[in-house]
């Protein structure tokens, strides 16, 4: 799992770096107002992407079990349901976005006429983006079921690289929101073709065929529905918040809000992908008639400790260099103007990111109803707090409202319970990184004033302690791990 997780980490590092570097450069080229408009349209497209209906995760979970049992007939049924349904949903979503673009953009009365027209055109092009990206999701599910995380991350990194570098070139040539969305459409179609080719290579030996099975279809539909409802909660937190901020505070402050949260959300993205292999691993493990509970618990312990040190470690790094990051991400703005907002977002995103293990465990054991309730309720609470906060305290209130999403930590609580891991045991696994993070918060916020050079020294010492703690807990031989990865690549 560490090896596959490392593939994810290496891919995520490059993608995160590109994302974070693109934000300030794009703002310099198009301005904060236009960046806010781009955020508004891309967030709307992101909400429509919920049309995937949970089929991506369903593909991974059901197909990994079919492969574990070497059942080609069942695999044929799984792929017939997931690929066929996704094709239908993607087409409907694209048509709805194209036809409904004027009405969707009409929900934002603060937009100027020029902004309104540009946003409508961008959303219509976004229909093509949605169609391609939804089909990509089910093909990525196939790759994950085969545990091809190296290939998957290469393709994802290529897509992010082409997407972000292309946007900078388009903006440099004078393009704005509409042209940026057109470039996204080109990249999405191209990467979809490559994912299709990889999927064919992985599946060509199984002699698959089109086979519809009503029982399998209903099982996947029930599982996907619950997963989709859970994704709705995540989308409320990650997409609708931007729409609320844009509608109430305008595209200028939305640009600032998006810049800050686009940086801090990388904490969750990075820490989650590192342990993503635990999903098919647990699903495959449980699918066997006899499995070793102790081995399963060791995998979960490993995943929880990896998730916590990456999430909290990244948060500590962002807190230490917050003024410098703000200067880069928001060019022309004084770091003091948005330091409180940035620190608040970093702390919230760091803590809520330590939920990935529970997220994957509940998906693997098909406890999607509980998973759905937690995600949806947490998203609704977060939106309510953001709405109250932005009307009462402006931008800082909107950022602080994200605290409502900390309710997703209940995923870990329930996930551990389903695997019969006592709460005292898994809290002990998590205790050291959590206490370590609280110490970094005290050092890197206004509680104590410490010069930057001393912050750097302290942060380095803290990371050394944290990494040595992790190595001792996992008994990892880095030399052997690198040799295994190099051998696999060869």
């Amino acid at each position: 799992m560490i090896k596959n997780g490392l593939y994810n980490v290496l891919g995520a590092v490059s993608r995160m770096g590109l994302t974070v570097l693109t934000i300030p450069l794009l703002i310099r080229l198009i301005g904060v107002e236009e960046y806010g408009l781009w955020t508004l349209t891309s967030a709307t497209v992101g909400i429509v992407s919920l049309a995937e209906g949970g089929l991506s995760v369903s593909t991974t979970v059901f197909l990994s079990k079919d492969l574990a049992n070497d059942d080609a007939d069942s695999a044929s049924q799984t792929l017939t349901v997931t690929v066929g349904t996704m094709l239908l949903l993607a087409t409907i979503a694209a048509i709805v976005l194209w036809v409904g673009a004027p009405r969707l953009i009409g929900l934002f009365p603060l937009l100027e006429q020029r902004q309104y027209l540009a946003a409508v055109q961008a959303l219509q092009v976004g229909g093509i983006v949605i169609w391609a990206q939804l089909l990509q999701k089910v093909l990525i599910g196939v790759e994950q079921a085969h545990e091809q995380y190296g290939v998957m991350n290469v393709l994802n990194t290529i897509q992010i690289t082409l997407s972000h570098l292309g946007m900078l070139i388009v903006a440099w040539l004078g393009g704005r929101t509409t042209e940026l969305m057109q470039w996204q459409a080109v990249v999405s179609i191209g990467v979809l073709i490559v994912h299709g080719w990889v999927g064919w290579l992985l599946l060509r030996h199984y002699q698959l065929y089109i086979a519809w099975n009503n029982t399998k279809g209903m099982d996947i539909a029930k599982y996907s529905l619950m997963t989709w409802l859970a994704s709705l909660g995540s989308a409320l937190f990650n997409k609708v918040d931007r729409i609320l901020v844009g509608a109430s505070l305008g595209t200028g402050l939305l640009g600032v809000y998006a810049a800050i949260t686009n940086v801090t959300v990388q904490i969750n993205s990075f820490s989650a992908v590192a342990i993503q292999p635990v999903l098919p691993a647990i699903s495959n493990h449980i699918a066997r008639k006899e499995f070793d509970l102790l081995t399963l618990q060791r995998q979960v312990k490993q995943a929880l400790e990896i998730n916590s040190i990456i999430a909290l470690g990244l948060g500590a790094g962002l807190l230490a260099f917050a003024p410098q990051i703000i200067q880069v991400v928001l060019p022309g703005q004084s770091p003091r103007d948005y330091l409180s907002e940035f620190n608040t977002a970093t702390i919230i995103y760091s803590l809520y990111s330590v939920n990935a293990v529970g997220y994957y465990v509940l998906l693997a054991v098909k406890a999607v109803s509980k998973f759905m309730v937690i995600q949806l309720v947490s998203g609704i609470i977060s939106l309510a707090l953001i709405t109250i906060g932005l009307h009462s305290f402006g931008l800082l209130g909107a950022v602080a409202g994200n605290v409502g999403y900390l309710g997703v930590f209940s995923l870990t609580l329930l996930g551990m319970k389903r695997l019969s891991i006592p709460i005292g045991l898994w809290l002990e696994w998590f205790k050291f990184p959590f206490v370590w993070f609280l110490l970094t918060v005290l050092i890197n916020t206004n509680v104590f004033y410490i010069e930057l050079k001393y912050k750097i020294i302290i942060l380095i010492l803290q990371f050394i302690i944290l990494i040595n703690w992790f190595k001792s807990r996992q008994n990892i031989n880095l030399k052997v791990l690198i040799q295994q990865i190099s051998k696999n690549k060869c």
Side-chain angles (χ1 to χ4, degrees):
M1 189 180 71
I2 290 180
K3 182 178 64 179
N4 285 330
L6 186 57
Y7 287 137
N8 278 3
V9 168
L10 293 175
V13 167
S14 57
R15 294 193 296 271
M16 182 175 67
L18 284 169
T19 300
V20 173
L21 289 175
T22 299
I23 294 170
L25 294 175
L26 195 59
I27 290 177
R28 287 179 185 272
L29 289 170
I30 66 178
V32 175
E33 287 278 349
E34 189 69 23
Y35 182 72
L37 183 63
W38 164 248
T39 299
L40 195 64
T41 55
S42 57
T44 304
V45 171
I47 292 174
V48 178
S49 69
L50 282 171
E52 68 102 12
L55 287 171
S56 175
V57 176
S58 295
T59 303
T60 299
V61 172
F62 282 85
L63 186 59
S64 63
K65 290 186 176 182
D66 296 336
L67 298 178
N69 296 320
D70 196 24
D71 191 340
D73 292 332
S74 183
S76 298
Q77 295 167 4
T78 295
L79 291 172
T80 299
V81 173
T82 57
V83 176
T85 306
M86 185 68 87
L87 180 61
L88 176 63
L89 293 177
T91 303
I92 294 174
I95 294 173
V96 168
L97 195 57
W98 181 277
V99 175
R103 290 188 177 182
L104 289 173
I105 298 303
L107 298 175
F108 306 101
L110 296 181
L111 294 181
E112 301 174 358
Q113 181 66 18
R114 176 197 64 81
Q115 293 176 317
Y116 170 82
L117 294 175
V120 169
Q121 292 176 347
L123 280 192
Q124 290 176 333
V125 177
I128 301 174
V129 177
I130 282 297
W131 187 86
Q133 291 185 353
L134 289 181
L135 291 177
Q136 282 183 34
K137 288 179 181 295
V138 74
L139 294 174
I140 289 173
V142 172
E143 294 162 5
Q144 290 177 343
H146 285 83
E147 299 191 26
Q148 294 297 316
Y149 289 92
V151 174
M152 183 191 74
N153 277 286
V154 168
L155 293 180
N156 287 343
T157 301
I158 290 174
Q159 181 167 6
I160 291 294
T161 302
L162 292 175
S163 173
H164 286 70
L165 293 182
M167 284 198 302
L168 293 177
I169 294 173
V170 169
W172 180 65
L173 293 174
R176 291 298 180 260
T177 298
T178 302
E179 291 76 17
L180 293 176
M181 192 66 76
Q182 289 172 345
W183 175 248
Q184 296 300 315
V186 172
V187 173
S188 298
I189 290 292
V191 176
L192 171 63
I193 293 172
V194 180
H195 275 298
W197 176 69
V198 172
W200 177 80
L201 290 177
L202 293 173
L203 297 169
R204 71 185 189 280
H205 302 299
Y206 292 101
Q207 297 181 343
L208 301 176
Y209 55 94
I210 298 176
W212 180 270
N213 181 281
N214 289 333
T215 303
K216 175 61 74 72
M218 288 302 298
D219 288 343
I220 292 177
K222 291 177 182 177
Y223 185 85
S224 298
L225 177 61
M226 293 299 179
T227 307
W228 177 80
L229 291 174
S231 299
L232 178 60
S234 179
L236 291 176
F237 177 61
N238 290 311
K239 302 296 182 183
V240 180
D241 62 333
R242 286 155 170 72
I243 294 176
L244 290 174
V245 173
S248 298
L249 302 181
T251 55
L253 287 179
L254 172 59
V256 176
Y257 178 89
I260 291 174
T261 53
N262 282 343
V263 171
T264 53
V265 77
Q266 301 305 317
I267 299 172
N268 182 59
S269 302
F270 189 66
S271 59
V273 297
I275 65 164
Q276 192 178 48
V278 79
L279 173 58
I282 293 177
S283 181
N284 190 306
H285 207 79
I286 294 176
R288 303 178 187 276
K289 294 181 179 179
E290 296 181 1
F291 64 89
D292 185 355
L293 182 59
L294 291 178
T295 299
L296 185 62
Q297 289 183 353
R298 281 197 298 270
Q299 288 182 322
V300 174
K301 173 179 179 291
Q302 187 179 79
L304 180 64
E305 292 179 348
I306 292 173
N307 181 217
S308 60
I309 66 168
I310 292 179
L312 302 180
L314 281 174
L318 292 182
L319 288 172
F321 301 105
Q324 290 73 29
I325 294 173
I326 293 173
Q327 284 182 315
V328 173
V329 174
L330 295 170
Q333 304 290 335
S334 171
R336 292 186 177 182
D337 291 342
Y338 302 110
L339 184 59
S340 296
E341 288 84 352
F342 187 87
N343 285 339
T344 300
T346 300
I347 293 171
I348 292 173
Y349 276 79
S350 298
L351 293 175
Y352 113 77
S353 295
V354 191
N355 77 88
V357 176
Y359 176 94
Y360 290 128
V361 167
L362 290 181
L363 285 178
V365 301
K366 294 187 177 180
V368 286
S369 59
K370 295 181 175 62
F371 172 85
M372 175 269 295
V373 171
I374 292 172
Q375 290 273 90
L376 193 57
V377 171
S378 298
I380 292 173
I381 292 175
S382 178
L383 282 187
L385 294 177
I386 289 172
T387 303
I388 295 171
L390 66 86
H391 286 296
S392 302
F393 304 102
L395 184 61
L396 179 59
V399 173
N402 287 267
V403 73
Y405 207 64
L406 289 179
V408 295
F409 196 74
S410 302
L411 295 172
T412 301
L413 183 66
L414 290 178
M416 295 300 179
K417 185 177 180 181
R418 290 297 297 264
L419 296 181
S420 302
I421 301 176
I423 185 170
L425 181 59
W426 66 263
L427 283 178
E428 192 274 331
W429 300 340
F430 171 69
K431 180 176 63 177
F432 184 87
F434 180 70
V435 173
W436 177 88
F437 180 70
L438 292 181
L439 179 62
T440 63
V441 172
L442 292 175
I443 292 174
N444 294 298
T445 57
N446 293 328
V447 177
F448 299 122
Y449 175 76
I450 300 177
E451 294 184 17
L452 178 62
K453 59 182 179 181
Y454 296 120
K455 281 186 176 182
I456 296 174
I457 294 173
I458 293 172
L459 188 64
I460 292 174
L461 292 175
Q462 287 179 321
F463 273 123
I464 291 173
I465 294 171
L466 191 63
I467 295 302
N468 278 285
W469 169 83
F470 178 70
K471 286 177 61 180
S472 65
R473 298 278 291 185
Q474 299 295 332
N475 193 26
I476 296 173
N477 188 320
L478 293 178
K479 183 178 179 180
V480 173
L481 181 61
I482 293 173
Q483 289 176 346
Q484 289 180 348
I485 293 173
S486 299
K487 183 178 179 180
N488 284 353
K489 286 184 177 180
C490 294

